[in-house]
Short mmCIF file of all heavy atoms in Angstrom, two decimals:
data_model
loop_
_atom_site.label_atom_id
_atom_site.label_comp_id
_atom_site.label_asym_id
_atom_site.label_seq_id
_atom_site.Cartn_x
_atom_site.Cartn_y
_atom_site.Cartn_z
N SER A 26 153.91 168.03 93.63
CA SER A 26 153.07 168.48 92.53
C SER A 26 153.00 170.00 92.54
O SER A 26 153.37 170.64 93.50
CB SER A 26 151.69 167.86 92.65
OG SER A 26 151.06 168.30 93.82
N GLY A 27 152.49 170.57 91.46
CA GLY A 27 152.44 172.01 91.36
C GLY A 27 151.31 172.48 90.47
O GLY A 27 150.55 171.70 89.93
N ILE A 28 151.24 173.79 90.34
CA ILE A 28 150.22 174.41 89.52
C ILE A 28 150.86 175.57 88.75
O ILE A 28 151.70 176.29 89.29
CB ILE A 28 149.03 174.91 90.37
CG1 ILE A 28 147.96 175.56 89.50
CG2 ILE A 28 149.50 175.85 91.47
CD1 ILE A 28 146.70 175.94 90.25
N SER A 29 150.48 175.70 87.48
CA SER A 29 150.91 176.82 86.66
C SER A 29 149.68 177.61 86.26
O SER A 29 148.63 177.03 85.96
CB SER A 29 151.63 176.34 85.40
OG SER A 29 152.84 175.73 85.73
N PHE A 30 149.79 178.92 86.25
CA PHE A 30 148.66 179.76 85.89
C PHE A 30 149.16 181.11 85.40
O PHE A 30 150.31 181.48 85.62
CB PHE A 30 147.71 179.94 87.09
CG PHE A 30 148.37 180.51 88.32
CD1 PHE A 30 148.34 181.87 88.58
CD2 PHE A 30 149.01 179.68 89.22
CE1 PHE A 30 148.95 182.40 89.71
CE2 PHE A 30 149.62 180.19 90.37
CZ PHE A 30 149.59 181.55 90.61
N GLN A 31 148.28 181.83 84.72
CA GLN A 31 148.56 183.19 84.28
C GLN A 31 147.70 184.14 85.10
O GLN A 31 146.59 183.79 85.51
CB GLN A 31 148.23 183.38 82.80
CG GLN A 31 149.15 182.63 81.86
CD GLN A 31 148.75 181.19 81.70
OE1 GLN A 31 147.58 180.85 81.74
NE2 GLN A 31 149.72 180.32 81.53
N TYR A 32 148.21 185.35 85.32
CA TYR A 32 147.45 186.34 86.05
C TYR A 32 147.69 187.72 85.46
O TYR A 32 148.71 187.97 84.86
CB TYR A 32 147.77 186.30 87.56
CG TYR A 32 149.22 186.57 87.89
CD1 TYR A 32 149.63 187.84 88.29
CD2 TYR A 32 150.18 185.57 87.79
CE1 TYR A 32 150.96 188.09 88.60
CE2 TYR A 32 151.51 185.81 88.10
CZ TYR A 32 151.89 187.07 88.50
OH TYR A 32 153.20 187.33 88.79
N HIS A 33 146.72 188.60 85.63
CA HIS A 33 146.73 189.94 85.07
C HIS A 33 146.31 190.90 86.16
O HIS A 33 145.20 190.79 86.69
CB HIS A 33 145.76 189.99 83.89
CG HIS A 33 145.88 191.21 83.04
ND1 HIS A 33 145.36 192.43 83.41
CD2 HIS A 33 146.44 191.40 81.82
CE1 HIS A 33 145.60 193.32 82.45
NE2 HIS A 33 146.24 192.72 81.48
N MET A 34 147.18 191.81 86.55
CA MET A 34 146.88 192.75 87.63
C MET A 34 147.21 194.16 87.16
O MET A 34 148.37 194.56 87.14
CB MET A 34 147.66 192.39 88.89
CG MET A 34 147.30 191.01 89.42
SD MET A 34 148.25 190.49 90.84
CE MET A 34 147.58 191.56 92.10
N TYR A 35 146.17 194.88 86.76
CA TYR A 35 146.36 196.20 86.16
C TYR A 35 145.38 197.19 86.75
O TYR A 35 144.18 196.91 86.83
CB TYR A 35 146.16 196.09 84.65
CG TYR A 35 146.28 197.39 83.90
CD1 TYR A 35 147.44 198.14 83.95
CD2 TYR A 35 145.23 197.85 83.13
CE1 TYR A 35 147.56 199.33 83.26
CE2 TYR A 35 145.34 199.04 82.42
CZ TYR A 35 146.51 199.78 82.50
OH TYR A 35 146.63 200.96 81.80
N GLY A 36 145.86 198.32 87.20
CA GLY A 36 145.00 199.38 87.71
C GLY A 36 145.54 199.97 88.98
O GLY A 36 146.31 199.35 89.71
N ALA A 37 145.13 201.18 89.27
CA ALA A 37 145.65 201.90 90.43
C ALA A 37 145.23 201.27 91.75
O ALA A 37 145.93 201.39 92.75
CB ALA A 37 145.16 203.35 90.37
N HIS A 38 144.10 200.56 91.78
CA HIS A 38 143.59 199.97 93.02
C HIS A 38 143.38 198.47 92.86
O HIS A 38 142.35 197.94 93.25
CB HIS A 38 142.27 200.65 93.41
CG HIS A 38 142.40 202.13 93.59
ND1 HIS A 38 143.01 202.69 94.69
CD2 HIS A 38 142.03 203.16 92.80
CE1 HIS A 38 143.00 204.00 94.59
NE2 HIS A 38 142.42 204.32 93.43
N ILE A 39 144.36 197.79 92.31
CA ILE A 39 144.19 196.38 91.96
C ILE A 39 144.10 195.46 93.17
O ILE A 39 143.48 194.42 93.12
CB ILE A 39 145.29 195.91 90.98
CG1 ILE A 39 144.91 194.58 90.33
CG2 ILE A 39 146.64 195.81 91.65
CD1 ILE A 39 143.68 194.64 89.50
N GLY A 40 144.70 195.80 94.28
CA GLY A 40 144.60 194.95 95.46
C GLY A 40 145.62 193.83 95.44
O GLY A 40 146.71 193.96 94.89
N SER A 41 145.24 192.68 96.03
CA SER A 41 146.18 191.57 96.12
C SER A 41 145.49 190.23 95.87
O SER A 41 144.31 190.05 96.17
CB SER A 41 146.86 191.54 97.49
OG SER A 41 145.90 191.41 98.51
N ALA A 42 146.25 189.30 95.31
CA ALA A 42 145.78 187.95 95.04
C ALA A 42 146.68 186.98 95.80
O ALA A 42 147.88 187.19 95.93
CB ALA A 42 145.83 187.66 93.54
N VAL A 43 146.07 185.89 96.30
CA VAL A 43 146.79 184.91 97.10
C VAL A 43 146.38 183.51 96.64
O VAL A 43 145.20 183.26 96.37
CB VAL A 43 146.47 185.07 98.61
CG1 VAL A 43 147.15 184.00 99.44
CG2 VAL A 43 146.85 186.45 99.10
N LEU A 44 147.35 182.60 96.56
CA LEU A 44 147.09 181.19 96.33
C LEU A 44 147.51 180.44 97.58
O LEU A 44 148.64 180.60 98.06
CB LEU A 44 147.87 180.67 95.12
CG LEU A 44 147.80 179.17 94.87
CD1 LEU A 44 146.37 178.72 94.59
CD2 LEU A 44 148.73 178.77 93.74
N GLU A 45 146.60 179.62 98.12
CA GLU A 45 146.88 178.84 99.32
C GLU A 45 146.58 177.37 99.08
O GLU A 45 145.79 177.04 98.19
CB GLU A 45 146.01 179.33 100.49
CG GLU A 45 146.26 180.78 100.87
CD GLU A 45 145.22 181.28 101.84
OE1 GLU A 45 144.04 181.38 101.45
OE2 GLU A 45 145.60 181.57 102.99
N SER A 46 147.19 176.51 99.89
CA SER A 46 146.94 175.08 99.81
C SER A 46 146.58 174.54 101.19
O SER A 46 146.92 175.12 102.22
CB SER A 46 148.16 174.34 99.25
OG SER A 46 149.23 174.40 100.17
N SER A 47 145.88 173.39 101.18
CA SER A 47 145.47 172.77 102.43
C SER A 47 145.32 171.27 102.24
O SER A 47 145.00 170.79 101.15
CB SER A 47 144.14 173.35 102.89
OG SER A 47 143.68 172.72 104.08
N ALA A 48 145.56 170.54 103.30
CA ALA A 48 145.33 169.09 103.29
C ALA A 48 143.95 168.76 103.86
O ALA A 48 143.38 167.72 103.54
CB ALA A 48 146.41 168.38 104.10
N ASP A 49 143.41 169.64 104.72
CA ASP A 49 142.17 169.33 105.41
C ASP A 49 141.05 170.36 105.22
O ASP A 49 139.95 170.17 105.72
CB ASP A 49 142.43 169.16 106.91
CG ASP A 49 143.04 170.40 107.55
OD1 ASP A 49 143.09 171.46 106.91
OD2 ASP A 49 143.48 170.30 108.71
N GLY A 50 141.32 171.46 104.51
CA GLY A 50 140.31 172.48 104.30
C GLY A 50 140.13 173.41 105.49
O GLY A 50 139.30 174.31 105.45
N THR A 51 140.90 173.22 106.53
CA THR A 51 140.82 174.06 107.73
C THR A 51 142.06 174.92 107.89
O THR A 51 141.97 176.12 108.12
CB THR A 51 140.64 173.18 109.00
OG1 THR A 51 139.45 172.40 108.84
CG2 THR A 51 140.53 174.03 110.24
N THR A 52 143.23 174.31 107.77
CA THR A 52 144.50 175.01 107.90
C THR A 52 145.06 175.26 106.51
O THR A 52 145.25 174.32 105.74
CB THR A 52 145.51 174.17 108.72
OG1 THR A 52 144.92 173.87 109.98
CG2 THR A 52 146.81 174.91 108.89
N TRP A 53 145.32 176.54 106.19
CA TRP A 53 145.77 176.93 104.86
C TRP A 53 147.18 177.49 104.92
O TRP A 53 147.53 178.20 105.84
CB TRP A 53 144.82 177.94 104.24
CG TRP A 53 143.47 177.34 103.96
CD1 TRP A 53 142.42 177.27 104.82
CD2 TRP A 53 143.07 176.70 102.76
NE1 TRP A 53 141.37 176.62 104.22
CE2 TRP A 53 141.75 176.26 102.95
CE3 TRP A 53 143.69 176.45 101.54
CZ2 TRP A 53 141.03 175.59 101.96
CZ3 TRP A 53 142.99 175.78 100.56
CH2 TRP A 53 141.68 175.36 100.77
N THR A 54 147.98 177.15 103.90
CA THR A 54 149.36 177.61 103.79
C THR A 54 149.49 178.50 102.57
O THR A 54 149.06 178.13 101.47
CB THR A 54 150.32 176.41 103.66
OG1 THR A 54 150.16 175.57 104.79
CG2 THR A 54 151.76 176.87 103.54
N ASN A 55 150.09 179.67 102.74
CA ASN A 55 150.29 180.60 101.63
C ASN A 55 151.38 180.05 100.70
O ASN A 55 152.49 179.81 101.14
CB ASN A 55 150.69 181.98 102.18
CG ASN A 55 150.75 183.04 101.10
OD1 ASN A 55 151.08 182.76 99.96
ND2 ASN A 55 150.45 184.26 101.48
N LEU A 56 151.03 179.85 99.42
CA LEU A 56 152.00 179.37 98.43
C LEU A 56 152.54 180.50 97.55
O LEU A 56 153.67 180.44 97.09
CB LEU A 56 151.33 178.34 97.50
CG LEU A 56 150.85 177.04 98.13
CD1 LEU A 56 150.19 176.19 97.06
CD2 LEU A 56 152.00 176.31 98.79
N TRP A 57 151.69 181.50 97.30
CA TRP A 57 152.05 182.57 96.37
C TRP A 57 151.16 183.77 96.66
O TRP A 57 150.00 183.62 97.03
CB TRP A 57 151.80 182.07 94.95
CG TRP A 57 151.93 183.08 93.86
CD1 TRP A 57 153.05 183.38 93.15
CD2 TRP A 57 150.90 183.92 93.34
NE1 TRP A 57 152.78 184.36 92.22
CE2 TRP A 57 151.45 184.70 92.33
CE3 TRP A 57 149.55 184.09 93.64
CZ2 TRP A 57 150.71 185.63 91.61
CZ3 TRP A 57 148.81 185.02 92.94
CH2 TRP A 57 149.40 185.78 91.93
N SER A 58 151.71 184.96 96.50
CA SER A 58 150.90 186.17 96.59
C SER A 58 151.52 187.26 95.72
O SER A 58 152.73 187.25 95.47
CB SER A 58 150.76 186.64 98.03
OG SER A 58 152.02 187.01 98.55
N GLN A 59 150.68 188.15 95.29
CA GLN A 59 151.12 189.27 94.46
C GLN A 59 150.17 190.43 94.73
O GLN A 59 148.98 190.21 94.98
CB GLN A 59 151.10 188.88 92.99
CG GLN A 59 151.79 189.83 92.06
CD GLN A 59 153.28 189.91 92.30
OE1 GLN A 59 153.74 190.85 92.94
NE2 GLN A 59 154.03 188.95 91.84
N SER A 60 150.69 191.65 94.70
CA SER A 60 149.82 192.80 94.93
C SER A 60 150.28 193.98 94.10
O SER A 60 151.44 194.06 93.69
CB SER A 60 149.79 193.17 96.42
OG SER A 60 151.08 193.54 96.85
N GLY A 61 149.34 194.88 93.87
CA GLY A 61 149.65 196.12 93.17
C GLY A 61 149.57 196.03 91.67
O GLY A 61 149.36 194.98 91.08
N ASN A 62 149.76 197.17 91.05
CA ASN A 62 149.68 197.32 89.61
C ASN A 62 150.93 196.74 88.96
O ASN A 62 152.04 197.22 89.19
CB ASN A 62 149.54 198.81 89.28
CG ASN A 62 149.38 199.07 87.81
OD1 ASN A 62 149.43 198.18 86.98
ND2 ASN A 62 149.16 200.32 87.47
N LEU A 63 150.76 195.71 88.14
CA LEU A 63 151.88 195.07 87.45
C LEU A 63 151.89 195.39 85.96
O LEU A 63 152.61 194.76 85.20
CB LEU A 63 151.84 193.56 87.67
CG LEU A 63 151.91 193.12 89.13
CD1 LEU A 63 151.84 191.61 89.22
CD2 LEU A 63 153.17 193.64 89.79
N GLY A 64 151.07 196.36 85.55
CA GLY A 64 151.03 196.73 84.14
C GLY A 64 149.97 195.96 83.38
O GLY A 64 149.43 194.96 83.85
N ASP A 65 149.68 196.43 82.19
CA ASP A 65 148.63 195.85 81.35
C ASP A 65 149.20 194.69 80.54
O ASP A 65 149.35 194.76 79.32
CB ASP A 65 148.05 196.93 80.43
CG ASP A 65 146.80 196.47 79.71
OD1 ASP A 65 146.29 195.38 80.03
OD2 ASP A 65 146.33 197.21 78.82
N GLN A 66 149.54 193.61 81.25
CA GLN A 66 150.09 192.42 80.59
C GLN A 66 149.83 191.19 81.46
O GLN A 66 149.59 191.29 82.65
CB GLN A 66 151.58 192.58 80.36
CG GLN A 66 152.39 192.76 81.64
CD GLN A 66 153.84 193.08 81.35
OE1 GLN A 66 154.34 192.85 80.27
NE2 GLN A 66 154.53 193.64 82.33
N TRP A 67 149.88 190.03 80.82
CA TRP A 67 149.71 188.76 81.53
C TRP A 67 151.07 188.29 82.05
O TRP A 67 152.08 188.47 81.41
CB TRP A 67 149.11 187.71 80.60
CG TRP A 67 147.66 187.95 80.35
CD1 TRP A 67 147.12 188.65 79.32
CD2 TRP A 67 146.59 187.53 81.17
NE1 TRP A 67 145.76 188.69 79.45
CE2 TRP A 67 145.40 188.00 80.58
CE3 TRP A 67 146.49 186.80 82.36
CZ2 TRP A 67 144.14 187.76 81.11
CZ3 TRP A 67 145.23 186.56 82.89
CH2 TRP A 67 144.09 187.04 82.28
N HIS A 68 151.05 187.68 83.23
CA HIS A 68 152.24 187.12 83.86
C HIS A 68 152.02 185.63 84.07
O HIS A 68 150.89 185.17 84.20
CB HIS A 68 152.50 187.80 85.21
CG HIS A 68 152.68 189.27 85.11
ND1 HIS A 68 153.90 189.85 84.84
CD2 HIS A 68 151.79 190.29 85.23
CE1 HIS A 68 153.76 191.16 84.81
NE2 HIS A 68 152.49 191.45 85.03
N GLN A 69 153.11 184.89 84.13
CA GLN A 69 153.08 183.44 84.34
C GLN A 69 153.63 183.13 85.72
O GLN A 69 154.61 183.73 86.15
CB GLN A 69 153.94 182.74 83.28
CG GLN A 69 154.12 181.25 83.47
CD GLN A 69 152.90 180.45 83.06
OE1 GLN A 69 152.20 180.84 82.12
NE2 GLN A 69 152.66 179.35 83.73
N ALA A 70 152.99 182.19 86.42
CA ALA A 70 153.51 181.73 87.71
C ALA A 70 153.43 180.21 87.75
O ALA A 70 152.49 179.61 87.22
CB ALA A 70 152.71 182.32 88.86
N THR A 71 154.43 179.60 88.35
CA THR A 71 154.43 178.16 88.63
C THR A 71 154.78 177.99 90.09
O THR A 71 155.79 178.50 90.56
CB THR A 71 155.45 177.42 87.75
OG1 THR A 71 155.12 177.65 86.37
CG2 THR A 71 155.44 175.93 88.03
N VAL A 72 153.91 177.31 90.82
CA VAL A 72 154.04 177.18 92.26
C VAL A 72 154.03 175.70 92.63
O VAL A 72 153.20 174.93 92.13
CB VAL A 72 152.88 177.91 92.98
CG1 VAL A 72 152.99 177.77 94.48
CG2 VAL A 72 152.85 179.37 92.57
N GLN A 73 154.93 175.30 93.50
CA GLN A 73 154.98 173.92 93.98
C GLN A 73 154.24 173.81 95.31
O GLN A 73 154.39 174.66 96.18
CB GLN A 73 156.44 173.47 94.17
CG GLN A 73 157.24 173.46 92.89
CD GLN A 73 156.66 172.56 91.83
OE1 GLN A 73 156.28 171.43 92.09
NE2 GLN A 73 156.55 173.08 90.61
N ALA A 74 153.45 172.76 95.45
CA ALA A 74 152.72 172.51 96.70
C ALA A 74 153.39 171.35 97.45
O ALA A 74 153.99 170.47 96.84
CB ALA A 74 151.27 172.17 96.40
N SER A 75 153.28 171.38 98.75
CA SER A 75 153.83 170.32 99.58
C SER A 75 153.02 169.04 99.41
O SER A 75 151.84 169.09 99.07
CB SER A 75 153.80 170.73 101.06
OG SER A 75 154.53 171.90 101.26
N GLY A 76 153.65 167.90 99.68
CA GLY A 76 152.95 166.63 99.61
C GLY A 76 151.76 166.60 100.55
O GLY A 76 151.83 167.11 101.66
N GLY A 77 150.66 166.04 100.11
CA GLY A 77 149.46 165.96 100.93
C GLY A 77 148.56 167.19 100.86
O GLY A 77 147.45 167.17 101.37
N GLN A 78 149.03 168.24 100.24
CA GLN A 78 148.23 169.47 100.10
C GLN A 78 147.35 169.31 98.86
O GLN A 78 147.74 169.68 97.77
CB GLN A 78 149.13 170.69 99.99
CG GLN A 78 150.10 170.88 101.13
CD GLN A 78 149.39 171.28 102.41
OE1 GLN A 78 148.62 172.23 102.43
NE2 GLN A 78 149.66 170.57 103.48
N THR A 79 146.16 168.75 99.03
CA THR A 79 145.32 168.39 97.89
C THR A 79 144.32 169.45 97.49
O THR A 79 143.69 169.35 96.45
CB THR A 79 144.57 167.09 98.19
OG1 THR A 79 143.79 167.28 99.38
CG2 THR A 79 145.54 165.93 98.38
N MET A 80 144.14 170.49 98.32
CA MET A 80 143.19 171.55 98.01
C MET A 80 143.93 172.86 97.75
O MET A 80 144.90 173.17 98.43
CB MET A 80 142.22 171.75 99.17
CG MET A 80 141.28 170.59 99.36
SD MET A 80 140.19 170.88 100.77
CE MET A 80 140.92 169.74 101.93
N LEU A 81 143.44 173.59 96.75
CA LEU A 81 143.99 174.90 96.43
C LEU A 81 142.86 175.91 96.41
O LEU A 81 141.73 175.59 96.04
CB LEU A 81 144.66 174.90 95.05
CG LEU A 81 145.87 174.00 94.88
CD1 LEU A 81 146.27 173.96 93.40
CD2 LEU A 81 147.02 174.51 95.71
N ARG A 82 143.18 177.15 96.81
CA ARG A 82 142.19 178.23 96.69
C ARG A 82 142.90 179.53 96.36
O ARG A 82 143.98 179.83 96.85
CB ARG A 82 141.34 178.37 97.94
CG ARG A 82 142.05 179.00 99.12
CD ARG A 82 141.13 179.15 100.31
NE ARG A 82 141.83 179.69 101.47
CZ ARG A 82 141.33 179.77 102.69
NH1 ARG A 82 140.10 179.34 102.92
NH2 ARG A 82 142.03 180.29 103.67
N PHE A 83 142.25 180.30 95.48
CA PHE A 83 142.67 181.66 95.18
C PHE A 83 141.76 182.61 95.94
O PHE A 83 140.55 182.41 95.96
CB PHE A 83 142.54 181.96 93.68
CG PHE A 83 143.61 181.37 92.83
CD1 PHE A 83 143.41 180.17 92.16
CD2 PHE A 83 144.83 182.02 92.66
CE1 PHE A 83 144.40 179.63 91.36
CE2 PHE A 83 145.82 181.48 91.86
CZ PHE A 83 145.60 180.29 91.20
N THR A 84 142.33 183.65 96.52
CA THR A 84 141.53 184.70 97.11
C THR A 84 142.04 186.04 96.58
O THR A 84 143.20 186.17 96.24
CB THR A 84 141.59 184.70 98.65
OG1 THR A 84 142.94 184.78 99.08
CG2 THR A 84 140.96 183.45 99.23
N TYR A 85 141.13 186.98 96.52
CA TYR A 85 141.46 188.33 96.04
C TYR A 85 140.89 189.34 97.02
O TYR A 85 139.75 189.21 97.46
CB TYR A 85 140.90 188.56 94.64
CG TYR A 85 140.98 190.01 94.22
CD1 TYR A 85 142.20 190.53 93.80
CD2 TYR A 85 139.88 190.84 94.28
CE1 TYR A 85 142.30 191.87 93.44
CE2 TYR A 85 139.97 192.17 93.92
CZ TYR A 85 141.20 192.68 93.51
OH TYR A 85 141.29 194.00 93.17
N VAL A 86 141.68 190.35 97.36
CA VAL A 86 141.23 191.44 98.21
C VAL A 86 141.42 192.75 97.46
O VAL A 86 142.54 193.07 97.04
CB VAL A 86 142.01 191.47 99.55
CG1 VAL A 86 141.56 192.66 100.39
CG2 VAL A 86 141.86 190.18 100.31
N SER A 87 140.33 193.48 97.28
CA SER A 87 140.39 194.76 96.58
C SER A 87 141.10 195.81 97.40
O SER A 87 141.10 195.77 98.63
CB SER A 87 138.96 195.23 96.30
OG SER A 87 138.97 196.51 95.73
N ASP A 88 141.70 196.76 96.72
CA ASP A 88 142.43 197.85 97.37
C ASP A 88 141.51 199.04 97.68
O ASP A 88 141.95 200.03 98.22
CB ASP A 88 143.58 198.28 96.46
CG ASP A 88 144.59 199.17 97.18
OD1 ASP A 88 144.72 199.05 98.41
OD2 ASP A 88 145.24 199.98 96.50
N VAL A 89 140.23 198.94 97.31
CA VAL A 89 139.30 200.07 97.56
C VAL A 89 138.15 199.62 98.43
O VAL A 89 137.86 198.48 98.58
CB VAL A 89 138.75 200.68 96.25
CG1 VAL A 89 139.86 201.39 95.53
CG2 VAL A 89 138.10 199.64 95.38
#
């Protein structure tokens, strides 16, 4: 299974975004990450998750 989403990362100190998956909520696997200024536009991402990975989480870390 997978997930599709749009993201917008614009600015000098945009930081980084991460998508992770987990089967148990304790151990997380990095599925996708992006960092830095990507311009004033929306981007599309499609990410496949491993079987049994039923939980997803997005995290964001600021650059300032």
Side-chain angles (χ1 to χ4, degrees):
S26 64
I28 180 174
S29 293
F30 56 95
Q31 291 82 33
Y32 60 98
H33 192 282
M34 298 177 72
Y35 178 59
H38 302 286
I39 195 62
S41 60
V43 177
L44 173 62
E45 299 170 294
S46 67
S47 178
D49 59 10
T51 302
T52 304
W53 293 88
T54 301
N55 187 328
L56 296 178
W57 172 92
S58 64
Q59 192 65 259
S60 62
N62 183 356
L63 301 179
D65 190 9
Q66 61 187 341
W67 286 93
H68 301 274
Q69 174 77 33
T71 301
V72 179
Q73 297 301 314
S75 301
Q78 303 290 308
T79 58
M80 292 179 253
L81 296 171
R82 73 178 177 189
F83 283 97
T84 56
Y85 169 77
V86 177
S87 175
D88 194 27
V89 291

